[in-house]
Amino acid sequence: PAEKKQAFDQDAAKFLAPFPDIVLVQVEFDTNVQDYTRDLARHWQTINPAEMQNLSFLNTPGGGRISPLRFTPLKGAGGGFTLAFPRRVDGKPVLESQGQSLTVEFPHPKIGQIPEGRVVAEFKAPKMTVEGQILH
């Protein structure tokens, strides 16, 4: 019904308002190997944020690589971090059409028997739309 849609839109606007100029990516991890969980948490809690700005990227459809504006480790029992990227570069949105996708790329450390490497996650435009429109 129209009144429920309006209430939902108002609630969504409140949630989205604090993020007008950023693409926020939250990375969380979990493992069934307790030592790995502890080592990963220690790594992400102690890494230099400036280092992550040089090693993490938002890769755009046109081949651009955008460094994060900030890196923030998650607090508490959970493990992970957030990366905040600009939503626009040179006045243009980083994602413009439904057929495009973005990838987020960041390093992962050597933990136990797992060698260091890179994590790349893809985000497709159709999954980031409201009523068929990409939010710019």
Side-chain angles (χ1 to χ4, degrees), residues 85-116:
F85 297 94
R87 188 179 295 262
R88 294 177 170 271
V89 175
D90 297 328
K92 296 180 184 177
V94 296
L95 194 62
E96 298 186 69
S97 73
Q98 290 289 340
Q100 295 179 321
S101 64
L102 299 171
T103 60
V104 175
E105 178 182 350
F106 59 89
H108 73 76
K110 178 184 182 325
I111 299 293
Q113 299 297 316
I114 302 170
E116 67 181 15

Side-chain angles (χ1 to χ4, degrees), residues 7-124:
F8 176 82
D9 289 345
Q10 289 173 343
D11 287 343
K14 289 177 199 172
F15 173 74
L16 295 173
F19 308 105
D21 298 328
I22 61 171
V23 174
L24 188 64
V25 177
Q26 183 167 313
V27 176
E28 295 183 30
F29 63 84
D30 193 18
T31 175
N32 60 354
V33 180
Q34 192 172 22
D35 289 346
Y36 290 7
T37 301
R38 183 193 63 240
D39 292 347
L40 281 167
R42 182 182 310 120
H43 174 79
W44 295 121
Q45 291 290 326
T46 60
I47 194 167
N48 181 343
E51 183 178 352
M52 282 297 283
Q53 289 177 316
N54 294 325
L55 297 173
S56 304
F57 305 97
L58 181 68
N59 300 310
T60 65
R65 294 183 93 190
I66 303 167
S67 295
L69 300 169
R70 67 180 178 270
F71 162 83
T72 308
L74 295 178
K75 304 290 185 205
F81 56 89
T82 60
L83 295 166
F85 297 94
R87 188 179 295 262
R88 294 177 170 271
V89 175
D90 297 328
K92 296 180 184 177
V94 296
L95 194 62
E96 298 186 69
S97 73
Q98 290 289 340
Q100 295 179 321
S101 64
L102 299 171
T103 60
V104 175
E105 178 182 350
F106 59 89
H108 73 76
K110 178 184 182 325
I111 299 293
Q113 299 297 316
I114 302 170
E116 67 181 15
R118 303 225 28 100
V119 175
V120 178
E122 181 179 27
F123 299 92
K124 296 183 179 188

